[in-house]
Amino acid sequence: MPTLPLPPGSTIGILGGGQLGRMLALAAARLGFDVAVLERDADSPAGRVAARTIVAAYDDDAALADLVSVAQVITYEFENVPAASVLKLEAMGAVVAPGPDALSVAQDRVAEKQFLNASGAPTVAFASADSADEAVAAAQEMGAPLLMKTRREGYDGKGQRWVEHVADAAATFEALGGVPVILEAPAEYVRELSIIAARGRDGATAVYPLAENHHEHGVLRRSLAPAQVSAETALQAEKIALRVLDGLNYVGVIGIELFEMKDGQLLVNEIAPRVHNSGHWTQDGCEVDQFEQHIRAVAGWPLGPTAARARVEMLNLLGDEVETWAKLAHEPETRIHLYGKRAAKTGRKMGHVNKVKPL
Amino acid sequence: MPTLPLPPGSTIGILGGGQLGRMLALAAARLGFDVAVLERDADSPAGRVAARTIVAAYDDDAALADLVSVAQVITYEFENVPAASVLKLEAMGAVVAPGPDALSVAQDRVAEKQFLNASGAPTVAFASADSADEAVAAAQEMGAPLLMKTRREGYDGKGQRWVEHVADAAATFEALGGVPVILEAPAEYVRELSIIAARGRDGATAVYPLAENHHEHGVLRRSLAPAQVSAETALQAEKIALRVLDGLNYVGVIGIELFEMKDGQLLVNEIAPRVHNSGHWTQDGCEVDQFEQHIRAVAGWPLGPTAARARVEMLNLLGDEVETWAKLAHEPETRIHLYGKRAAKTGRKMGHVNKVKPL
């Protein structure tokens, strides 16, 4: 077991080589850590700023052993890392954060909603179905329209479809691949909000101000932070965050997506056991951003301050929007964050900008 | 010749793998660039956050050719890179910034002071001496005490000695290695200030607010920024900076060390054609810090804003002071920047902290 708090000069392992891994690696470097990335692609955004890349699949035992031999603490940039890999890393003596509880809850939309409700964090009504017949029965019980999602995998709007009529439930089940699904009642929300929160190894917690999020085709397009919310709403969100963090005995940064209902109630849409796109505004809006905060937490360091020092409009650069960099570079209020991805495929997150204004 | 402004996804080469190279590399990565470091040490602070390290001496022709083959724009982290190497890089078609003019002036303390005075940037009185006899003659002419420095090399107080009595001049010349020297009249300054400035490829310039610097044993210990100076003093410093930048047809960030005299006049102590320790406060005190500014300039991007958004006290962590990291991590106002150096030798710059306060 490593000495905690983890001393600078130690190596932090990151499963995943995308933009979140890259920004985590940059934050870790600032604190004097080395980073080792485990990633299938030898030329990844995170790998190119890390001290080393182990090129392998997440379930490659030899690669996991390699990672444990160099890294004293290991984290991951996204929640679809195999839970079995995390368990193997732990069995080999590595400290992994967030832990397997958070991962198993976040990987199964049914387990996630069950956990949330049991923790006192409300969600929409939902049902699970493992077969077309079960899907039909659930749809009859709940009524249409409803949203059908695969229980596992899927992100940025992938792996989900609307069921407009109860009669379509079986066909939708098959269209989603005939795998176990969750059926969710529609949320008639007025706004999408999110809260980025952190919990240290000592159980201390910290929450950032809320962000207001705007999606397009299931992908985050724009976040405004701090969101203009009432003190009550902010308190409600903080309570939810603390219940989730404590309920999972969580270590690290978590992103919690919320629906704000007409009556002011907040429902949890989903949780992401990692740094989150709607928290990118913290890079230019807070003294300690979500990336450094995550590194601090997993390394057993005390959490840093989370107050906003500026108002930020975060805009994702999707696909060929990244080609506007030269224009963006001329805007004095615009901070540019690009991910070094080689191909600007349609809809792909290539970077983001934070437009910074005084509070 | 590369396309300028240099598009994200291009590679920026950095000569030197220390902390300045590391922080330049982190800033370049944020803007979507890859970084290639040329450095003798295979395990350097900058190399560990760069996409690739070319392990070689700065005068290794094959390594320089390698660097040109991968990097579209090349810069350096310190001014003692051989000017011949920069000329070779340029001859191979690379764009190098800052250019050879800046380097040759910065590498020779006599050429530096001649350039400064010719540009209307005042300095202390000085003389050059290539032999012990010349040193004695110059000392007799100038009177003691005076400061004798090697014309070339030397930084952080190395390569310089006080001559307390004219009779000591010959012995001091020999003690400095019998190499060409500069003799400088003492500056009876009330404060040491510095100004960090930048010039883009289009000739646009930007200056940061001044810093007030405190040295110990020739090494920077502490900077306070923005320094409390009169509008006149700020204007005087800006004028000096612009004269220096334009006089060198400079591209990139420059650090200019100033003596503030009792009558308010500013004398230039020295110029560093690179990012500068007294500009580290900009990381947490400005929207665009000196590292991103340098990358923007050398990549042909427009310069970013330089206004202060906070007051900062920058403290260097020298030698085993870096061991206080765990205590520093508890201070909410303290931003930690560590360099990943393996050995905390006495006096070695291991990191710095920026203590941030409202303006």
Side-chain angles (χ1 to χ4, degrees), chain A residues 5-8 22 26 29-31 34 48-51 287-288 296 301-302 305 309 325 329 332 335-338 342, chain B residues 5-8 22 26 29-31 34 48-51 287-288 296 301-302 305 309 325 329 332 335-338 342:
Chain A
L6 193 67
R22 180 178 175 98
L26 295 175
R30 208 164 54 221
L31 298 180
D34 284 357
R48 267 178 270 127
V49 299
E287 291 298 340
V288 167
R296 281 174 164 259
W301 287 34
R309 64 166 181 81
W325 62 270
R335 304 280 68 76
I336 298 176
H337 300 266
L338 303 180
R342 299 298 186 202
Chain B
L6 193 68
R22 179 179 176 98
L26 295 175
R30 207 164 57 222
L31 298 181
D34 285 357
R48 268 180 268 128
V49 299
E287 291 297 341
V288 167
R296 281 173 164 258
W301 288 34
R309 63 165 182 81
W325 61 270
R335 306 280 66 78
I336 298 176
H337 300 266
L338 302 181
R342 300 297 186 205

Side-chain angles (χ1 to χ4, degrees), chain A:
Chain A
M1 294 287 288
T3 312
L4 294 178
L6 193 67
S10 307
T11 297
I12 294 180
I14 301 178
L15 299 175
Q19 70 267 23
L20 300 180
R22 180 178 175 98
M23 292 184 279
L24 286 169
L26 295 175
R30 208 164 54 221
L31 298 180
F33 293 111
D34 284 357
V35 171
V37 168
L38 174 60
E39 157 66 41
R40 194 185 275 278
D41 178 1
D43 179 42
S44 70
R48 267 178 270 127
V49 299
R52 81 172 72 197
T53 303
I54 298 168
V55 182
Y58 300 132
D59 59 358
D60 179 320
D61 284 357
L64 294 171
D66 262 10
L67 187 62
V68 172
S69 73
V70 298
Q72 289 78 52
V73 165
I74 297 170
T75 187
Y76 40 88
E77 64 153 5
F78 83 135
E79 60 273 27
N80 289 326
V81 165
S85 296
V86 169
L87 293 171
K88 274 181 200 162
L89 290 168
E90 289 193 332
M92 289 188 277
V95 168
V96 185
D101 282 4
L103 206 55
S104 58
V105 160
Q107 285 180 349
D108 177 346
R109 293 183 208 290
V110 173
E112 182 182 6
K113 285 207 167 40
Q114 285 166 342
F115 160 75
L116 288 167
N117 288 322
S119 307
T123 68
V124 293
F126 67 96
S128 69
D130 292 350
S131 67
D133 285 352
E134 283 181 25
V136 170
Q140 280 168 343
E141 168 101 12
M142 294 172 70
L146 49 74
L147 192 54
M148 195 184 293
K149 298 176 179 174
T150 58
R151 276 180 73 155
R152 295 181 164 273
E153 308 288 335
Y155 63 94
D156 283 351
K158 289 166 194 160
Q160 58 179 269
R161 294 197 176 204
W162 279 99
V163 180
E164 296 295 344
H165 307 284
V166 170
D168 303 337
T172 307
F173 181 86
E174 298 304 341
L176 285 173
V179 295
V181 296
I182 186 170
L183 296 91
E184 300 180 3
E188 298 189 357
Y189 55 86
V190 291
R191 269 200 302 183
E192 294 183 84
L193 300 170
S194 63
I195 185 163
I196 307 296
R199 188 167 177 275
R201 289 202 179 274
D202 56 358
T205 54
V207 296
Y208 288 93
L210 276 69
E212 175 184 318
N213 304 316
H214 297 267
H215 290 79
E216 257 176 42
H217 313 301
V219 178
L220 185 65
R221 155 63 58 197
R222 183 164 164 261
S223 291
L224 304 170
Q228 303 228 337
V229 294
S230 67
E232 266 177 10
T233 301
L235 194 64
Q236 204 186 143
E238 286 169 27
K239 274 188 187 159
I240 287 171
L242 299 191
R243 283 171 185 165
V244 170
L245 290 172
D246 288 337
L248 295 172
N249 193 26
Y250 197 83
V251 173
V253 163
I254 197 167
I256 303 176
E257 297 182 18
L258 302 164
F259 294 135
E260 184 182 27
M261 309 304 284
K262 211 178 275 179
D263 63 0
Q265 200 195 7
L266 297 179
L267 302 183
V268 178
N269 176 29
E270 63 176 44
I271 60 177
R274 54 169 167 80
V275 288
H276 193 257
N277 195 167
S278 74
H280 291 0
W281 73 274
T282 61
Q283 292 176 306
D284 298 293
C286 299
E287 291 298 340
V288 167
D289 69 21
Q290 65 167 350
F291 301 100
E292 177 173 333
Q293 194 75 287
H294 186 74
I295 296 296
R296 281 174 164 259
V298 304
W301 287 34
L303 299 179
T306 52
R309 64 166 181 81
R311 271 190 314 136
V312 178
E313 179 184 9
M314 191 287 302
L315 294 167
N316 274 336
L317 300 174
L318 304 176
D320 60 12
E321 291 170 3
V322 73
E323 300 303 330
T324 61
W325 62 270
K327 184 178 153 286
L328 294 165
H330 278 281
E331 299 175 1
E333 75 282 12
T334 299
R335 304 280 68 76
I336 298 176
H337 300 266
L338 303 180
Y339 307 151
K341 293 185 183 175
R342 299 298 186 202
K345 291 178 207 154
T346 305
R348 193 178 195 200
K349 292 177 179 172
M350 301 298 293
H352 66 275
V353 293
N354 284 328
K355 301 201 173 198
V356 180
K357 290 150 210 168
L359 266 186

